[in-house]
Amino acid sequence: MANSQIDLEKAPLTDVISNLQADEKQGLSSAEAKKRLAQYGPNALEAKEETFMHKLIHAFMGPIEYMIEAAAVISAIIGHWDDFIIILVLLIFNVTIDLWQSQKASSALAALKKGMAPQANVLRDGKYQTIDAAQLVPGDIIKIRLGQIVPADLRLIAGDYASIDQSALTGESIAANKKIGDEAYSGSVVKQGEMEAVVIATGEDTFFGRTAKLVAGAGAKSHAQQAMFQIGDYLIVIAVILAVIMVIFDVYNDIVAHSMNMTAALNILQFVLVLLVASIPVAMPTVFSVTLALGALNLSKEKAIVSKLSSIEEMAGIDILYSDKTGTLTKNQLTLGDTTLYHAKDEQEVVLAGALASKIEDNDAIDTAVINALNDKNVLKNWTIDKFDPFDPVSKRTEAQAHDKQGNQIRVSKGAPQVIVDLAKPSKEESDAIFKLVDQLASHGYRALGVTQSNDDGNTWKILGVFSMFDPPRDDSKETIEAAKAKGVNVKMITGDDTAIAIETCRQLGLGTNILNAADVFPSDMDPDNVPDDIADKIEAADGFARVFPEHKYAIVKAMQKRGHIVAMTGDGVNDAPALKQADCGTAVSGATDAARSAAALILTAPGLSVIKTAIDEARRIFERITSYTIYRVALTMTIMFLVVLSAIFLKFTPLTAIMIVIMSLLDDIPIMTIAYDNTSVSDKPIRWRMKRILTTSSVLGVVAVIQSMIMLVYEFMAVRNGSGSIFGITDKSQLQTLMFLQLVVAGHLLLFVTRQSKWFFQRPFPASALFWAIIATQILAACMCFFGWLVPAISLKTILLIWVYNIIWMFIINIVRLILERMNY
């Protein structure tokens, strides 16, 4: 059918009509339309949606998830049903959160589908008829008119003109005026006029459809998710190695002692399984989720809605923020700047003439800006409009005929300066001055608008003046940008507007002015998923881009992510949706389209970007909480595992019973969930997961904690075995097990006070009340269990107090080790 070699958007209309075998008078026949529908498919966005069952199964997959599931199975096998229920509840909670986030992310495509026009007025079999827009095919002749959504990609073939708002698609700040031969994009809205057009693309082949396809394939994996995989893998390897060593040692001893039987084997298996349960960070995903959820609640109070929890953690590490211009950094309100006078006595005379040549009810951005510039709008009541000719892309001006209460008649016109010059025919000196002014304004990103007046019914005209027009920056934009820079975030602009406008806006806001035209950087056939290195170099060096399309924004974000940057993106239109979804933290600004909001992870409900600073601060606090918990949990897991295995090998003594390990696991994890409320410092630089540093720090602290506990264990074991006096007042091995149980519970929580910040534990910021009192309550419960003999052999109050003294001394030693590790900055 259509020749794929021809560019239907830019080729001459005669070639387009011929190539599509379209008939401007009769349209397509029903039979031909049916044939083409089978060839091209429906004019709709087809989505291959993942089934709920597939999403559900996927939510149970991953190293941490596998460990939690193993813990649940093991708990059931050994009959610890209380543990089984607790673990199962935590697992279901984590899966629910994951499914909810997945559903929010996949709704972007559904929102894009809503933007497709439901019906179209098409010429079929020689007459116009209304059909579902999904039935349109290339070569159809259709009509578009005021208020309609453009149903497919078109080339306009007949009619006077149409004003089409395509800002949501292209990012242009004002409606585009279209004439015969121009293209119109699917999903844009007709604001004025009525024209006929030929369909050149439908469905996924449209500008709109290509955007939707990018959205469907976009999405970056959460860095927190990757970190949890690495932590899970690390703990699994350590736990399995130690468990294997312990099994081999126990089996060897039983064989040597000739006591190996089925009961002995089951006892070994049961204890190893319980030990593995204790090593699994069951609460880790829950701690992550709760911490992020509370951060989302705090941001909602600042008029920022979080639709993807992991984006909060990502915000902590962003080092590049790509911001849309119109409506985000600027007010999206055309405003009159300086007015250059020619034959007017003052600026208000020019404004009045321009206002008479405007219609406020048309909601045109230029007309509204001119009328709003009047000092007193009541002056318009002195005039009656006798005739009004609206703007069209051919004449490129408006004209009005009016008279005042005294009967004085005038004709006024406003429009493109070159058209006004042609109409007024001023002297060469004056016309040269006007053209020079227009060039100067354009170089600084300002639009020029000429105003002329005739007092003799249009026989002669005089130019009153030339307006400069611009979209002014928001009052809070410069302050927000400076605050972001102070946090180590490089702010860059991406806009659909002209390069000169972008450069001038950047200059006013204190941004870099190395703004590139996207068409000069990106080849038309470039794969946005695989940007060549030379283009990626230009992207990284540029301060922003102008005249961008959706695939450009998407390519920019993805290229920088491949370079190791954590990228945030703000936007409000359909054209922003692919980049918003691909970004590590896509942010939809106030007034964004449904597609942009659905693709974004963070949705701002108040105008501007001022909440971004708050979001970055909150994100960095959350990151510190999650990091401190991670170091604590890995170190504690290593302590328990190594203590049990070393004791079994060298002392042939089991320092903890199975019930002690399970209780200790619950006492350690449940109160630590309050770390989500903890007070933390705010980094002035982007922070991200440095797994080598985190795992090394936690491992070293874990080793020190093992030494701490082993010294106590070995000394007391020898004292009990030899019958010599015990400092801690222990008389038998059962009490020694209670001693070690309390030692690990106390040491574990004191370890958290060391890991929660990289300074001395007694320095600000102090622990949050919720965290502090949760730990105190847990310690009181553990002390009562040991004193009264609940589930464990009883020990004296003196022993409990000595354990606390011993651990507080070691708390200073461990903190010194932590400070040394921080100074090493490995």
Side-chain angles (χ1 to χ4, degrees), residues 383-685:
W383 293 88
T384 301
I385 304 299
D386 300 314
K387 183 182 177 183
F388 183 82
D389 295 324
F391 179 92
D392 71 75
V394 178
S395 68
K396 295 185 178 179
R397 65 185 181 90
T398 63
E399 184 177 324
Q401 187 172 325
H403 69 272
D404 63 11
K405 293 179 179 179
Q406 288 73 40
N408 299 315
Q409 290 197 348
I410 62 171
R411 292 174 72 173
V412 289
S413 181
K414 75 177 193 312
Q418 66 270 24
V419 172
I420 296 302
V421 167
D422 289 342
L423 178 65
K425 297 179 175 58
S427 65
K428 185 177 186 303
E429 182 179 301
E430 187 173 311
S431 62
D432 288 346
I434 291 174
F435 290 139
K436 184 178 179 181
L437 171 66
V438 171
D439 290 340
Q440 288 176 343
L441 291 175
S443 67
H444 289 88
Y446 291 92
R447 292 182 172 90
L449 185 71
V451 179
T452 185
Q453 179 175 318
S454 173
N455 297 323
D456 57 4
D457 199 26
N459 292 317
T460 60
W461 294 80
K462 60 180 181 180
I463 297 177
L464 299 180
V466 175
F467 293 131
S468 63
M469 307 190 73
F470 68 105
D471 180 11
R474 289 182 51 81
D475 298 333
D476 58 351
S477 290
K478 191 168 186 178
E479 180 184 351
T480 301
I481 290 168
E482 289 174 352
K485 286 181 177 179
K487 295 292 180 183
V489 179
N490 192 1
V491 183
K492 303 187 178 189
M493 179 188 291
I494 301 182
T495 179
D497 264 332
D498 288 324
T499 306
I501 294 173
I503 290 173
E504 176 60 18
T505 304
C506 286
R507 187 189 64 77
Q508 294 181 26
L509 291 173
L511 292 172
T513 56
N514 180 26
I515 307 296
L516 305 181
N517 188 318
D520 297 335
V521 177
F522 300 99
S524 58
D525 60 347
M526 188 193 73
D527 178 5
D529 286 309
N530 297 288
V531 177
D533 287 340
D534 59 329
I535 295 179
D537 290 339
K538 292 179 181 178
I539 294 173
E540 198 163 22
D543 295 318
F545 290 86
R547 286 294 176 193
V548 292
F549 288 115
E551 56 266 33
H552 297 150
K553 296 185 179 186
Y554 173 86
I556 289 167
V557 170
K558 192 153 190 177
M560 291 302 94
Q561 288 174 326
K562 287 184 175 181
R563 289 281 174 106
H565 296 284
I566 297 182
V567 182
M569 169 81 190
T570 71
D572 61 355
V574 174
N575 64 323
D576 298 312
L580 288 174
K581 190 178 177 188
Q582 178 61 37
D584 297 296
C585 185
T587 304
V589 298
S590 176
T593 60
D594 286 346
R597 287 197 298 269
S598 296
L602 187 66
I603 302 166
L604 307 185
T605 58
L609 285 180
S610 57
V611 75
I612 288 290
K613 176 182 177 297
T614 304
I616 291 173
D617 287 348
E618 183 65 26
R620 292 182 183 178
R621 290 190 190 96
I622 289 170
F623 194 94
E624 291 290 355
R625 292 168 189 151
I626 292 175
T627 302
S628 64
Y629 170 78
T630 302
I631 294 174
Y632 151 80
R633 197 60 185 85
V634 173
L636 185 61
T637 297
M638 290 184 61
T639 303
I640 296 170
M641 291 289 290
F642 275 95
L643 179 69
V644 172
V645 172
L646 291 175
S647 178
I649 293 174
F650 294 107
L651 301 180
K652 294 184 176 60
F653 171 67
T654 303
L656 299 167
T657 64
I659 189 64
M660 285 179 179
I661 291 177
V662 173
I663 294 172
M664 183 173 59
S665 181
L666 293 175
L667 290 177
D668 281 333
D669 272 337
I670 292 177
I672 297 305
M673 291 185 187
T674 56
I675 199 170
Y677 299 92
D678 196 21
N679 301 318
T680 62
S681 56
V682 179
S683 172
D684 57 0
K685 295 179 181 178

